[in-house]
Amino acid sequence: MNRIEKFFGIRNEAKLRYLDGEFEVLSPGEFVRCAMTGQPISLADLRYWSVDAQEPYASAEISVQRYLELKAQDETRS
């Protein structure tokens, strides 16, 4: 973060690759956005994501909701 970003409070969105139990930072930043709500999630608070969908989630409830949606989509395609 440079001086201008600190002064104006500009925060950068990170780009991540979601792995089993961890994530890899592809592009540095301070947060990611929940795939369902758009809510910013600081990297320190990021706990829920989908490896298959490569999406972060703000809470366990949102994660389960998205899992069920993706599962239903897969079943209709089969």
Side-chain angles (χ1 to χ4, degrees), residues 14-19 22-30 43:
K15 301 294 181 208
L16 306 178
R17 186 172 78 167
Y18 302 98
L19 308 169
E22 62 184 2
F23 53 82
E24 177 184 1
V25 177
L26 302 176
S27 178
E30 297 177 12
L43 296 188

Side-chain angles (χ1 to χ4, degrees), residues 1-19:
M1 180 181 304
N2 64 34
R3 288 183 289 185
I4 293 172
E5 290 170 334
K6 284 182 184 179
F7 182 74
F8 290 108
I10 299 171
R11 295 178 12 159
N12 293 325
E13 187 169 351
K15 301 294 181 208
L16 306 178
R17 186 172 78 167
Y18 302 98
L19 308 169

Side-chain angles (χ1 to χ4, degrees), residues 34-39 48-50 53 55-74:
C34 175
M36 297 287 288
T37 66
Q39 172 184 347
Y48 308 101
W49 61 81
S50 168
E55 297 177 337
Y57 309 112
S59 70
E61 293 81 12
I62 294 170
S63 174
V64 170
Q65 178 185 358
R66 182 64 171 154
Y67 170 78
L68 294 173
E69 286 179 10
L70 292 173
K71 184 177 176 186
Q73 287 176 6
D74 287 343

